[in-house]
Amino acid sequence: MANPVPGVTRTALQTLPMIDVSAFPSGPEAERRRVAAALRRACIDIGFFYVTGHGIPEAELDDVIRWGHRFFELPMAEKLKISRALVGGGQGYSKPGSADGYAAGDKLPDFKERFIMSRELVPGEPATGRFNAGESVWPEESVLPGFAAFMKAHMARRMQLARRLVRVFALSLDLPEDYFDGMFRLSGGTMIINYYPSQGDRMLPPGQWNFSPHTDYGAFTLLLQDSLGGLEALNADGQWIDVPPIPGTFVVNLGDMFQRWTNDLYVSTLHRVTNSSGKARISVPLFNYPHGDTVIECLPTCASPEQPPRHAPVVAEAYNRELADRAARTGRPGVSAVTAARLTT
């Protein structure tokens, strides 16, 4: 897990907690504080939990998965028209096992296809700190009618949910409930459809994963899974536990930025994916970041003379881009120095 923090006890969970966030933003204060306390405990123990009461209909979540399959079932020639290697930038399609034209070094790239999107621009939004906002590329409407419109609308609803969640995080850290509002008003939002092709009875070779062990770079991730499973997270005892899909929920996991913000009180937990279902699997994470100009430094409620800040301040966009660029070069997720150390222990 994270570097030990004096006086902090982490429970080695075998299953993830379920947190209903319907009390935010305007429910009774006592209920909001109860929810924030449950989130705090989950973030200390493992940094992973399920969210219910989010307000996005289950039927819409099912449609996201269906649209994902429809996109990846397109002819390869159509998908390659919006290949990241062709269009440049961070958006677009990546083929199975792709390192997008970069050398993968001595490790096999993860075996998955991906389609990467980002949120739409807000009218009048400044050019700096956008985290790729407004740069999505889409298949032609004649090829996949309705796909772009659906994904844009769904992404916007998930971004609204993310802005609700930062209020829960603030309250959980004994901060004013609106503490993070300004940082997330124009937050980064990258949504990815991960497609793990069916391998039949064939196993991946040693050293290759569908998604190799990693932590996420940003503040937190809102993950939608299909019904097949395959996601695992590392608990406080160093055991890999299943994170099975539960209909109508999102899985939320913290990223490196929240671990840095909280001085390692909250954990950005290692997780991995193996698709052994014999079928094609879909997952759709939304990676959420504060505005790119935000300085990530120890929060005022997370340091004391006995526990001074453990991490140097970093600028959100620069930190994220360094790790994302590393992922593009290798075909595996980039890992921070802290995460790299955990992978070798």
Side-chain angles (χ1 to χ4, degrees):
M1 295 295 293
N3 295 337
V5 177
V8 174
T9 300
R10 306 189 196 276
T11 301
L13 302 180
Q14 297 301 312
T15 58
L16 298 187
M18 188 89 66
I19 299 178
D20 184 339
V21 298
S22 57
F24 284 81
S26 56
E29 181 181 354
E31 178 63 10
R32 298 201 313 277
R33 291 194 176 278
R34 186 196 66 77
V35 173
L39 180 142
R40 179 183 178 91
R41 188 66 256 169
C43 291
I44 290 172
D45 285 341
I46 195 168
F48 260 80
F49 52 92
Y50 295 100
V51 158
T52 64
H54 47 71
I56 301 178
E58 186 174 343
E60 180 176 331
L61 304 184
D62 293 340
D63 284 342
V64 174
I65 301 299
R66 280 192 284 269
W67 276 112
H69 280 288
R70 289 181 66 189
F71 173 83
F72 286 105
E73 289 163 4
L74 289 174
M76 181 60 74
E78 291 295 339
K79 292 183 287 189
L80 289 176
K81 288 179 183 178
I82 51 173
S83 164
R84 295 178 71 195
L86 177 65
V87 302
Q91 316 297 294
Y93 168 73
S94 294
K95 61 186 178 181
S98 172
D100 288 340
Y102 295 93
D106 61 349
K107 296 181 179 179
L108 292 168
D110 290 345
F111 189 73
K112 59 182 181 291
E113 296 179 61
R114 311 188 90 188
F115 180 67
I116 303 174
M117 306 156 274
S118 62
R119 69 167 175 84
E120 295 292 283
L121 288 174
V122 173
E125 181 175 342
T128 59
R130 287 178 175 174
F131 271 115
N132 300 323
E135 297 180 7
S136 298
V137 293
W138 303 98
E140 295 177 8
E141 184 66 13
S142 60
V143 171
L144 197 56
F147 175 72
F150 176 87
M151 286 298 171
K152 289 176 184 178
H154 176 71
M155 200 173 349
R157 279 188 279 279
R158 266 208 237 184
M159 294 294 292
Q160 291 174 344
L161 173 58
R163 287 189 286 272
R164 285 171 57 198
L165 282 173
V166 297
R167 292 204 150 207
V168 193
F169 282 115
L171 202 58
S172 80
L173 291 161
D174 299 318
L175 295 164
E177 205 167 315
D178 62 355
Y179 184 87
F180 294 114
D181 284 8
M183 304 175 203
F184 285 84
R185 186 179 69 83
L186 295 174
S187 60
T190 299
M191 194 166 80
I192 301 178
I193 310 176
N194 291 316
Y195 182 77
Y196 306 98
S198 170
Q199 296 154 211
D201 296 330
R202 182 175 63 87
M203 300 295 290
L204 291 174
Q208 188 174 35
W209 300 83
N210 291 113
F211 215 129
S212 50
H214 67 286
T215 59
D216 292 348
Y217 320 147
F220 59 95
T221 302
L222 278 166
L223 173 69
L224 173 65
Q225 303 187 77
D226 70 8
S227 62
L228 297 178
L231 173 64
E232 296 178 313
L234 198 69
N235 74 7
D237 279 351
Q239 302 169 324
W240 290 102
I241 65 170
D242 289 333
V243 183
I246 298 177
T249 69
F250 289 106
V251 175
V252 175
N253 66 277
L254 298 192
D256 295 347
M257 290 181 188
F258 248 114
Q259 180 164 326
R260 298 177 78 99
W261 253 333
T262 61
N263 212 20
D264 292 345
L265 175 66
Y266 288 3
V267 289
S268 174
T269 294
L270 285 164
H271 49 290
R272 65 188 187 186
V273 175
T274 302
N275 179 23
S276 57
S277 68
K279 300 177 181 179
R281 178 182 185 267
I282 292 274
S283 70
V284 189
L286 174 76
F287 300 102
N288 199 254
Y289 318 89
H291 186 267
D293 292 339
T294 304
V295 176
I296 308 299
E297 57 187 343
C298 185
L299 295 167
T301 55
C302 295
S304 67
E306 296 75 28
Q307 295 191 43
R310 293 169 158 227
H311 304 285
V314 293
V315 177
E317 185 166 12
Y319 179 84
N320 177 75
R321 286 192 184 280
E322 177 185 351
L323 294 172
D325 289 348
R326 196 179 307 166
R329 289 194 300 272
T330 64
R332 284 185 168 216
V335 294
S336 66
V338 171
T339 299
R342 291 163 60 194
L343 287 169
T344 59
T345 56

